[in-house]
mmCIF file of all heavy atoms in Angstrom:
data_model
loop_
_atom_site.group_PDB
_atom_site.id
_atom_site.type_symbol
_atom_site.label_atom_id
_atom_site.label_comp_id
_atom_site.label_asym_id
_atom_site.label_seq_id
_atom_site.Cartn_x
_atom_site.Cartn_y
_atom_site.Cartn_z
ATOM 1 N N LEU P 110 -58.714 -11.683 -77.360
ATOM 2 C CA LEU P 110 -59.875 -12.434 -76.887
ATOM 3 C C LEU P 110 -60.786 -11.558 -76.036
ATOM 4 O O LEU P 110 -60.333 -10.830 -75.153
ATOM 5 C CB LEU P 110 -59.408 -13.643 -76.068
ATOM 6 C CG LEU P 110 -58.513 -14.621 -76.831
ATOM 7 C CD1 LEU P 110 -57.914 -15.641 -75.883
ATOM 8 C CD2 LEU P 110 -59.297 -15.310 -77.934
ATOM 9 N N PRO P 111 -62.101 -11.642 -76.270
ATOM 10 C CA PRO P 111 -63.047 -10.848 -75.492
ATOM 11 C C PRO P 111 -63.529 -11.608 -74.249
ATOM 12 O O PRO P 111 -63.755 -12.818 -74.295
ATOM 13 C CB PRO P 111 -64.198 -10.642 -76.470
ATOM 14 C CG PRO P 111 -64.205 -11.900 -77.290
ATOM 15 C CD PRO P 111 -62.755 -12.329 -77.399
ATOM 16 N N PHE P 112 -63.647 -10.893 -73.150
ATOM 17 C CA PHE P 112 -64.182 -11.486 -71.919
ATOM 18 C C PHE P 112 -65.223 -10.540 -71.324
ATOM 19 O O PHE P 112 -65.134 -9.327 -71.493
ATOM 20 C CB PHE P 112 -63.085 -11.686 -70.868
ATOM 21 C CG PHE P 112 -61.993 -12.617 -71.276
ATOM 22 C CD1 PHE P 112 -60.719 -12.130 -71.556
ATOM 23 C CD2 PHE P 112 -62.209 -13.980 -71.392
ATOM 24 C CE1 PHE P 112 -59.695 -12.981 -71.923
ATOM 25 C CE2 PHE P 112 -61.192 -14.844 -71.771
ATOM 26 C CZ PHE P 112 -59.932 -14.339 -72.037
ATOM 27 N N ASP P 171 -68.073 -15.051 -72.813
ATOM 28 C CA ASP P 171 -67.814 -14.287 -74.034
ATOM 29 C C ASP P 171 -68.972 -13.312 -74.262
ATOM 30 O O ASP P 171 -70.142 -13.717 -74.193
ATOM 31 C CB ASP P 171 -67.691 -15.256 -75.216
ATOM 32 C CG ASP P 171 -67.168 -14.585 -76.468
ATOM 33 O OD1 ASP P 171 -67.767 -13.577 -76.903
ATOM 34 O OD2 ASP P 171 -66.162 -15.067 -77.014
ATOM 35 N N THR P 183 -73.361 -23.518 -71.600
ATOM 36 C CA THR P 183 -72.332 -24.492 -71.954
ATOM 37 C C THR P 183 -71.640 -24.133 -73.268
ATOM 38 O O THR P 183 -70.469 -24.485 -73.472
ATOM 39 C CB THR P 183 -72.949 -25.894 -72.055
ATOM 40 O OG1 THR P 183 -73.575 -26.218 -70.807
ATOM 41 C CG2 THR P 183 -71.890 -26.943 -72.347
ATOM 42 N N GLU P 184 -72.330 -23.410 -74.145
ATOM 43 C CA GLU P 184 -71.743 -23.020 -75.427
ATOM 44 C C GLU P 184 -70.446 -22.229 -75.258
ATOM 45 O O GLU P 184 -69.613 -22.188 -76.173
ATOM 46 C CB GLU P 184 -72.744 -22.175 -76.227
ATOM 47 C CG GLU P 184 -73.908 -22.952 -76.804
ATOM 48 C CD GLU P 184 -75.048 -23.157 -75.804
ATOM 49 O OE1 GLU P 184 -74.828 -22.917 -74.602
ATOM 50 O OE2 GLU P 184 -76.135 -23.551 -76.238
ATOM 51 N N PHE P 185 -70.253 -21.657 -74.091
ATOM 52 C CA PHE P 185 -69.030 -20.880 -73.852
ATOM 53 C C PHE P 185 -67.782 -21.730 -74.029
ATOM 54 O O PHE P 185 -66.743 -21.247 -74.480
ATOM 55 C CB PHE P 185 -69.063 -20.295 -72.434
ATOM 56 C CG PHE P 185 -67.795 -19.582 -72.048
ATOM 57 C CD1 PHE P 185 -67.329 -18.494 -72.769
ATOM 58 C CD2 PHE P 185 -67.041 -20.017 -70.959
ATOM 59 C CE1 PHE P 185 -66.157 -17.840 -72.418
ATOM 60 C CE2 PHE P 185 -65.865 -19.375 -70.599
ATOM 61 C CZ PHE P 185 -65.423 -18.281 -71.336
ATOM 62 N N GLU P 186 -67.886 -23.017 -73.728
ATOM 63 C CA GLU P 186 -66.713 -23.890 -73.799
ATOM 64 C C GLU P 186 -66.115 -23.980 -75.193
ATOM 65 O O GLU P 186 -64.941 -24.320 -75.354
ATOM 66 C CB GLU P 186 -67.076 -25.296 -73.309
ATOM 67 C CG GLU P 186 -68.006 -26.048 -74.245
ATOM 68 C CD GLU P 186 -68.363 -27.443 -73.757
ATOM 69 O OE1 GLU P 186 -68.010 -27.768 -72.608
ATOM 70 O OE2 GLU P 186 -69.000 -28.191 -74.523
ATOM 71 N N SER P 187 -66.915 -23.689 -76.207
ATOM 72 C CA SER P 187 -66.449 -23.799 -77.590
ATOM 73 C C SER P 187 -65.800 -22.524 -78.109
ATOM 74 O O SER P 187 -65.276 -22.509 -79.229
ATOM 75 C CB SER P 187 -67.623 -24.171 -78.511
ATOM 76 O OG SER P 187 -68.184 -25.413 -78.122
ATOM 77 N N THR P 188 -65.816 -21.469 -77.320
ATOM 78 C CA THR P 188 -65.242 -20.200 -77.765
ATOM 79 C C THR P 188 -63.735 -20.177 -77.560
ATOM 80 O O THR P 188 -63.193 -20.897 -76.714
ATOM 81 C CB THR P 188 -65.864 -19.016 -77.011
ATOM 82 O OG1 THR P 188 -65.478 -19.092 -75.624
ATOM 83 C CG2 THR P 188 -67.394 -19.048 -77.118
ATOM 84 N N ALA P 189 -63.062 -19.323 -78.316
ATOM 85 C CA ALA P 189 -61.615 -19.167 -78.164
ATOM 86 C C ALA P 189 -61.280 -18.601 -76.790
ATOM 87 O O ALA P 189 -60.247 -18.936 -76.203
ATOM 88 C CB ALA P 189 -61.076 -18.249 -79.262
ATOM 89 N N SER P 190 -62.161 -17.757 -76.269
ATOM 90 C CA SER P 190 -61.947 -17.168 -74.941
ATOM 91 C C SER P 190 -61.917 -18.255 -73.879
ATOM 92 O O SER P 190 -61.054 -18.253 -72.984
ATOM 93 C CB SER P 190 -63.060 -16.161 -74.626
ATOM 94 O OG SER P 190 -63.052 -15.094 -75.549
ATOM 95 N N ALA P 191 -62.848 -19.180 -73.949
ATOM 96 C CA ALA P 191 -62.904 -20.272 -72.976
ATOM 97 C C ALA P 191 -61.677 -21.158 -73.092
ATOM 98 O O ALA P 191 -61.058 -21.513 -72.072
ATOM 99 C CB ALA P 191 -64.168 -21.097 -73.184
ATOM 100 N N GLN P 192 -61.303 -21.501 -74.302
ATOM 101 C CA GLN P 192 -60.142 -22.378 -74.496
ATOM 102 C C GLN P 192 -58.873 -21.738 -73.940
ATOM 103 O O GLN P 192 -58.036 -22.429 -73.337
ATOM 104 C CB GLN P 192 -59.975 -22.697 -75.985
ATOM 105 C CG GLN P 192 -61.089 -23.570 -76.562
ATOM 106 C CD GLN P 192 -61.224 -24.895 -75.824
ATOM 107 O OE1 GLN P 192 -60.227 -25.569 -75.547
ATOM 108 N NE2 GLN P 192 -62.449 -25.288 -75.491
ATOM 109 N N TRP P 193 -58.753 -20.434 -74.122
ATOM 110 C CA TRP P 193 -57.570 -19.745 -73.587
ATOM 111 C C TRP P 193 -57.577 -19.810 -72.059
ATOM 112 O O TRP P 193 -56.540 -20.067 -71.439
ATOM 113 C CB TRP P 193 -57.556 -18.291 -74.046
ATOM 114 C CG TRP P 193 -56.297 -17.571 -73.635
ATOM 115 C CD1 TRP P 193 -55.128 -17.485 -74.352
ATOM 116 C CD2 TRP P 193 -56.070 -16.869 -72.407
ATOM 117 N NE1 TRP P 193 -54.186 -16.771 -73.642
ATOM 118 C CE2 TRP P 193 -54.732 -16.390 -72.439
ATOM 119 C CE3 TRP P 193 -56.845 -16.608 -71.288
ATOM 120 C CZ2 TRP P 193 -54.170 -15.651 -71.394
ATOM 121 C CZ3 TRP P 193 -56.293 -15.875 -70.236
ATOM 122 C CH2 TRP P 193 -54.971 -15.408 -70.303
ATOM 123 N N LEU P 194 -58.726 -19.596 -71.451
ATOM 124 C CA LEU P 194 -58.827 -19.649 -69.986
ATOM 125 C C LEU P 194 -58.513 -21.048 -69.469
ATOM 126 O O LEU P 194 -57.794 -21.202 -68.482
ATOM 127 C CB LEU P 194 -60.225 -19.221 -69.529
ATOM 128 C CG LEU P 194 -60.526 -17.723 -69.604
ATOM 129 C CD1 LEU P 194 -62.004 -17.466 -69.347
ATOM 130 C CD2 LEU P 194 -59.662 -16.948 -68.613
ATOM 131 N N TYR P 195 -59.038 -22.068 -70.128
ATOM 132 C CA TYR P 195 -58.785 -23.435 -69.680
ATOM 133 C C TYR P 195 -57.293 -23.760 -69.700
ATOM 134 O O TYR P 195 -56.795 -24.509 -68.859
ATOM 135 C CB TYR P 195 -59.540 -24.442 -70.555
ATOM 136 C CG TYR P 195 -61.051 -24.276 -70.562
ATOM 137 C CD1 TYR P 195 -61.813 -24.728 -71.638
ATOM 138 C CD2 TYR P 195 -61.710 -23.660 -69.502
ATOM 139 C CE1 TYR P 195 -63.198 -24.584 -71.653
ATOM 140 C CE2 TYR P 195 -63.088 -23.503 -69.517
ATOM 141 C CZ TYR P 195 -63.827 -23.958 -70.591
ATOM 142 O OH TYR P 195 -65.188 -23.804 -70.605
ATOM 143 N N GLU P 196 -56.593 -23.195 -70.671
ATOM 144 C CA GLU P 196 -55.167 -23.485 -70.827
ATOM 145 C C GLU P 196 -54.261 -22.590 -69.978
ATOM 146 O O GLU P 196 -53.143 -22.991 -69.639
ATOM 147 C CB GLU P 196 -54.772 -23.341 -72.301
ATOM 148 C CG GLU P 196 -55.418 -24.375 -73.211
ATOM 149 C CD GLU P 196 -55.130 -24.113 -74.684
ATOM 150 O OE1 GLU P 196 -54.321 -23.201 -74.976
ATOM 151 O OE2 GLU P 196 -55.725 -24.812 -75.534
ATOM 152 N N ASN P 197 -54.751 -21.395 -69.628
ATOM 153 C CA ASN P 197 -53.866 -20.416 -68.991
ATOM 154 C C ASN P 197 -54.296 -19.911 -67.613
ATOM 155 O O ASN P 197 -53.491 -19.289 -66.916
ATOM 156 C CB ASN P 197 -53.700 -19.202 -69.915
ATOM 157 C CG ASN P 197 -53.036 -19.555 -71.222
ATOM 158 O OD1 ASN P 197 -51.821 -19.693 -71.299
ATOM 159 N ND2 ASN P 197 -53.847 -19.719 -72.272
ATOM 160 N N ALA P 198 -55.528 -20.157 -67.206
ATOM 161 C CA ALA P 198 -56.027 -19.603 -65.943
ATOM 162 C C ALA P 198 -55.176 -20.009 -64.744
ATOM 163 O O ALA P 198 -54.964 -19.214 -63.821
ATOM 164 C CB ALA P 198 -57.480 -20.024 -65.721
ATOM 165 N N LEU P 205 -60.872 -23.995 -63.350
ATOM 166 C CA LEU P 205 -62.276 -24.230 -63.685
ATOM 167 C C LEU P 205 -62.844 -25.054 -62.545
ATOM 168 O O LEU P 205 -62.460 -26.204 -62.346
ATOM 169 C CB LEU P 205 -62.387 -24.978 -65.018
ATOM 170 C CG LEU P 205 -63.819 -25.239 -65.495
ATOM 171 C CD1 LEU P 205 -64.516 -23.927 -65.840
ATOM 172 C CD2 LEU P 205 -63.807 -26.169 -66.717
ATOM 173 N N ARG P 209 -66.235 -31.086 -66.264
ATOM 174 C CA ARG P 209 -66.930 -32.326 -66.624
ATOM 175 C C ARG P 209 -66.243 -33.521 -65.956
ATOM 176 O O ARG P 209 -65.035 -33.529 -65.747
ATOM 177 C CB ARG P 209 -66.884 -32.548 -68.139
ATOM 178 C CG ARG P 209 -67.725 -31.612 -68.963
ATOM 179 C CD ARG P 209 -67.704 -32.056 -70.414
ATOM 180 N NE ARG P 209 -68.282 -31.062 -71.311
ATOM 181 C CZ ARG P 209 -69.581 -30.914 -71.518
ATOM 182 N NH1 ARG P 209 -70.437 -31.699 -70.883
ATOM 183 N NH2 ARG P 209 -70.019 -29.992 -72.355
ATOM 184 N N TYR P 219 -71.773 -29.449 -64.361
ATOM 185 C CA TYR P 219 -70.693 -28.816 -65.119
ATOM 186 C C TYR P 219 -71.018 -27.354 -65.410
ATOM 187 O O TYR P 219 -72.104 -27.019 -65.857
ATOM 188 C CB TYR P 219 -70.502 -29.583 -66.421
ATOM 189 C CG TYR P 219 -69.642 -28.899 -67.456
ATOM 190 C CD1 TYR P 219 -68.321 -28.563 -67.187
ATOM 191 C CD2 TYR P 219 -70.155 -28.610 -68.722
ATOM 192 C CE1 TYR P 219 -67.522 -27.952 -68.149
ATOM 193 C CE2 TYR P 219 -69.369 -28.011 -69.700
ATOM 194 C CZ TYR P 219 -68.051 -27.672 -69.402
ATOM 195 O OH TYR P 219 -67.266 -27.078 -70.348
ATOM 196 N N ALA P 221 -69.107 -24.303 -67.451
ATOM 197 C CA ALA P 221 -67.971 -23.954 -68.310
ATOM 198 C C ALA P 221 -67.405 -22.575 -68.004
ATOM 199 O O ALA P 221 -66.301 -22.255 -68.453
ATOM 200 C CB ALA P 221 -68.422 -23.997 -69.772
ATOM 201 N N PHE P 224 -64.967 -19.858 -62.615
ATOM 202 C CA PHE P 224 -63.554 -19.975 -62.267
ATOM 203 C C PHE P 224 -63.347 -19.583 -60.807
ATOM 204 O O PHE P 224 -63.961 -18.643 -60.303
ATOM 205 C CB PHE P 224 -62.696 -19.108 -63.185
ATOM 206 C CG PHE P 224 -62.694 -19.591 -64.603
ATOM 207 C CD1 PHE P 224 -63.705 -19.205 -65.487
ATOM 208 C CD2 PHE P 224 -61.718 -20.463 -65.057
ATOM 209 C CE1 PHE P 224 -63.728 -19.671 -66.791
ATOM 210 C CE2 PHE P 224 -61.735 -20.939 -66.363
ATOM 211 C CZ PHE P 224 -62.744 -20.544 -67.222
#
Side-chain angles (χ1 to χ4, degrees):
L110 301 170
F112 298 109
D171 191 305
T183 303
E184 287 84 347
F185 175 59
E186 69 180 8
S187 300
T188 67
S190 298
Q192 292 302 314
W193 185 90
L194 285 171
Y195 300 155
E196 294 174 7
N197 297 280
L205 182 67
R209 289 187 191 278
Y219 167 60
F224 293 85

